[in-house]
Amino acid sequence: VLTLYDGKSVFDFYELHTPDTPYVGPDDFDLLDVVHLQGRLYEYKGDLYAGYDTAKRLSRGDRSILPRISPVDLLDSRYLMKMVKLGGLVRDIAYDDSDPNFVHFTVREGTATAQIIVRIDHREPIDPLHYLGAHVLATGFCAQNPEGLRRHIGRTVLVSGLENVEIDIPHATAESAPDLESLATALPQQISAAGLHQATGHVLASWGGNTTLMRTASGRTVRVLLQAGSLPAYGAHVRVLGLPAVLVDKVPIDGLCGKTDEDNLGFTYA
């Protein structure tokens, strides 16, 4: 699939490769190449598509001219419908709910967050741990994501292939990650933008199949959401490696008399 932009609109063209219409042209197109396509419209399952069986490269693209932006810059109209290099710390990765050929990256820089939608081949699964906590530079097309399309509503960067998501600052390892205590005086927005950290302590409770409450040596209580593996036993001494986040919870209310659960039961949550 080649996605072309003519200065006003974006079009997808599908290569036609059959015994009757063999493809003629190069197969190493890169981003920003200027091309000329020749083909036809065709119908597939009731929808109309544009196909090409002949292609010619008119000139090669130059990625060095692309602006490097941060998530907050997505609000700038200068970059809408333009090719950009978006940088940010990867905070979350998820396969698309409706199409396994797309993966969503949530990246953060400072106090701003952005979504990157990457087209992949679902037959070649990715390793999220390769990207989580790393600072990446994604080269793609800044577009207004239509309402209701996939998971994100608003401006996003559309990226063609993981080869266009470059790790420019690798994530920390279990040996090099700073301790969670280093964020003791950090502001909430600084915590949400932090990379991988580690915490060591004793398990106070586990529930829900993936949630553990632990107390560190300094007496801090930390909630850990496990991405894989089994829950540790109560009292176990564990070390965890992950991305810190700020969780805001309401005080539990019994819903009947306006008292909190703590008032009714006579104890205070850790």
Side-chain angles (χ1 to χ4, degrees):
V1 182
L2 291 181
T3 301
L4 303 188
Y5 177 59
D6 65 357
K8 295 181 179 180
S9 303
V10 178
F11 304 92
D12 285 336
F13 291 84
Y14 295 80
E15 181 182 318
L16 300 174
H17 187 73
T18 67
D20 297 329
T21 57
Y23 168 69
V24 177
D27 57 4
D28 61 344
F29 288 118
D30 198 3
L31 296 178
L32 299 182
D33 284 356
V34 178
V35 301
H36 175 80
L37 303 181
Q38 182 175 323
R40 59 182 173 83
L41 297 176
Y42 66 96
E43 186 176 346
Y44 179 70
K45 293 185 177 180
D47 293 322
L48 199 61
Y49 294 87
Y52 68 95
D53 52 31
T54 303
K56 178 186 295 186
R57 179 189 289 111
L58 303 181
S59 63
R60 288 191 176 273
D62 180 8
R63 297 192 184 202
S64 66
I65 66 174
L66 295 179
R68 177 166 179 163
I69 68 172
S70 65
V72 71
D73 294 322
L74 289 183
L75 300 176
D76 192 329
S77 59
R78 291 178 300 168
Y79 302 117
L80 185 61
M81 305 297 283
K82 297 290 192 301
M83 294 292 297
V84 298
K85 294 180 179 179
L86 174 66
L89 182 83
V90 179
R91 296 283 307 181
D92 184 33
I93 302 176
Y95 281 100
D96 190 274
D97 296 333
S98 59
D99 190 338
N101 289 301
F102 291 90
V103 170
H104 298 253
F105 283 65
T106 301
V107 299
R108 189 174 181 91
E109 191 89 333
T111 61
T113 301
Q115 288 282 328
I116 300 171
I117 301 179
V118 185
R119 184 192 293 269
I120 64 168
D121 184 344
H122 72 276
R123 295 168 297 183
E124 300 177 3
I126 69 171
D127 179 10
L129 296 180
H130 182 64
Y131 296 97
L132 282 172
H135 193 281
V136 301
L137 193 62
T139 302
F141 191 75
C142 179
Q144 188 77 24
N145 207 33
E147 183 175 354
L149 177 62
R150 305 190 178 95
R151 300 194 320 165
H152 181 68
I153 298 175
R155 292 186 185 175
T156 187
V157 173
L158 307 177
V159 177
S160 176
L162 287 171
E163 64 273 15
N164 294 308
V165 181
E166 173 190 355
I167 295 179
D168 56 351
I169 304 177
H171 59 68
T173 65
E175 291 74 27
S176 64
D179 193 273
L180 191 63
E181 295 297 331
S182 64
L183 297 175
T185 60
L187 298 174
Q189 59 266 33
Q190 295 172 320
I191 295 175
S192 296
L196 287 174
H197 281 63
Q198 61 176 310
T200 304
H202 289 87
V203 175
L204 298 176
S206 296
W207 68 92
N210 72 332
T211 305
T212 290
L213 201 66
M214 59 181 286
R215 177 163 289 160
T216 66
S218 65
R220 297 184 182 278
T221 301
V222 180
R223 185 189 302 183
V224 180
L225 302 178
L226 300 177
Q227 300 298 313
S230 57
L231 289 174
Y234 170 77
H237 189 264
V238 298
R239 185 175 70 165
V240 297
L241 180 70
L243 293 166
V246 177
L247 301 178
V248 179
D249 296 319
K250 295 175 62 178
V251 175
I253 301 294
D254 63 9
L256 298 176
C257 60
K259 293 183 179 181
T260 69
D261 293 345
E262 296 178 359
D263 293 334
N264 287 331
L265 299 175
F267 66 81
T268 300
Y269 288 99

